[in-house]
Structures are given as C-alpha cells and as structure tokens.
Amino acid sequence: HGFFEDYHCDPNVYTMELWLRRSVEELYPYIPRGTRVYDIGCGWGGPLTMLATERCCEVIGATLARNQFRHVASPGLPVRLTDVERSLPPVSFDCVLMLESFEHIFDKVGLLRRLRPFAQRLVMRVYCQDGAQPSQRFGGTMHMMSSSALRDCLLEAGWNVRHWRNCRRQAMPTISGWHRRRRALGTTHDVHLPIF
C-alpha cells in the first residue's frame, strides 16, 4: 500500500509509484543506515533495492514465489527462495522487515518466536482487519487478523512494541488503484487475482 496525503484520490500509475516509494521512506527512521536487513516477503525487490542504495544497508530478501525470486536475483540482489515458516534466517540481522507479508503467514506467533534470536529489531507494516472476524483472502493465502490480535502475537512471541501507528487512511487509495489495474487484466484463473 502506498502512503497518500490525499485520502480521497484515485491514484494513477505515476502517483501510485510516488506514494509506494513514500511508504518505504516513512520507515527509514526505524531502519538505521548501514544495518543488516532481512526482508521477508521481499516481493519484486523495490524496498530491498531502496534500502541497499539509499540507506547503504546490507540486505537479503526472502520470497517463496519463483517469479519474484528470479526478478530480484537478476540484477544481482541477494535473495533466498524459501518458505520462512519452514526455514531459519541464514544469519543474524540488525532488522527483520516485513512489508505487508505477515498477512501471508499461517503460524504467526511461531514465526515471530523463531525470528527473535536472529534480529534485534522487527519493522512491519501489516494490513489488519479491524471490525470484522478473522478471515482468509486471496485464495486462502492471506490470513487476516485485527490490530489487537497482532499486538498480542508480538508480545506473546517476546517482542516489545515501541512504535505503533494506524496508517489505514493514508493507505486506502491504493485499493482503488489496485482494483482498476486488476480489472484491466481481464479474465484470469489465478485465485490470487479476484475481480471485485
């Protein structure tokens, strides 16, 4: 999700890219320059690239999507093709980053516990589903939870919550942009890309 100043805008390709970039830059104060970062669910490598080039961080990405792995690895970025729920981090890190990937984790407390010995800091952006029952989305790959359940998971796994911010209003324009781009793809049999 991007971070938009105008909560009622309908983002186009240019503004979407601008506000997606801003959503990563907003986290820079929590990821010290030059630190070792493990980006779990690194996707197509945008934040990984930004942290390496703009923050001089030593980065390693992790994804279980083969196409994303190939894309991130092709310019030489360090990335692992792995299921983080079934593997341990390769080394210790100053920071574990999870940008909208925690929703795809089934055993949330288990992963948080396993990460604890490997990192001093955890920086997350999680899309929470407050005001509704926990549910599964996108072909059952997204396991949604409330923000209070997220806080409980973090505390149960031994993490201290030092900064907490609700960014729902800033992120909401992303939804309309995503829907427009998804509809433009037309019919697909991919359960992860439903048309709403």
Side-chain angles (χ1 to χ4, degrees):
H1 286 79
F3 262 36
F4 296 82
E5 290 176 359
D6 178 1
Y7 308 147
H8 304 291
C9 76
D10 187 13
N12 58 39
V13 173
Y14 170 74
T15 59
M16 186 66 131
E17 193 169 312
L18 177 72
W19 299 117
L20 285 170
R21 169 172 266 290
R22 180 178 172 213
S23 73
V24 177
E25 292 170 344
E26 290 270 330
L27 299 175
Y28 283 0
Y30 310 106
I31 305 172
R33 183 177 289 281
T35 55
R36 294 172 55 98
V37 179
Y38 190 39
D39 185 356
I40 292 179
C42 66
W44 300 100
L48 198 68
T49 301
M50 290 173 68
L51 290 170
T53 58
E54 298 172 13
R55 300 294 289 170
C56 302
C57 291
E58 186 179 334
V59 297
I60 297 177
T63 181
L64 53 73
R66 197 168 297 281
N67 286 342
Q68 291 177 346
F69 171 78
R70 285 189 205 111
H71 180 81
V72 174
S74 66
L77 284 169
V79 60
R80 301 175 71 212
L81 181 62
T82 186
D83 180 346
V84 295
E85 291 196 73
R86 295 194 168 119
S87 65
L88 293 173
V91 294
S92 292
F93 292 88
D94 300 304
C95 177
V96 169
L97 177 65
M98 295 185 77
L99 291 180
E100 299 174 23
S101 56
F102 195 64
E103 298 91 323
H104 296 276
I105 300 301
F106 179 74
D107 180 9
K108 296 178 186 319
V109 174
L111 176 65
L112 292 171
R113 280 189 179 133
R114 284 191 303 282
L115 291 174
R116 192 68 193 98
F118 288 90
Q120 301 169 10
R121 179 180 298 211
L122 176 64
V123 176
M124 306 172 82
R125 180 164 300 121
V126 180
Y127 186 75
C128 292
Q129 186 169 305
D130 289 336
Q133 293 296 319
S135 66
Q136 294 184 8
R137 301 276 189 240
F138 292 94
T141 65
M142 290 181 72
H143 309 280
M144 306 302 290
M145 63 191 314
S146 68
S147 55
S148 61
L150 170 61
R151 185 183 290 269
D152 291 345
C153 282
L154 289 163
L155 296 174
E156 184 180 337
W159 292 92
N160 296 316
V161 178
R162 295 202 177 141
H163 181 79
W164 187 273
R165 181 175 164 201
N166 181 343
C167 303
R168 182 177 174 83
R169 288 186 61 194
Q170 291 92 338
M172 286 309 291
T174 303
I175 303 295
S176 63
W178 186 90
H179 284 297
R180 185 176 55 256
R181 292 170 71 184
R182 170 57 196 98
R183 283 189 299 270
L185 290 175
T187 303
T188 177
H189 299 291
D190 188 337
V191 296
H192 301 109
L193 295 173
I195 295 179
F196 298 98

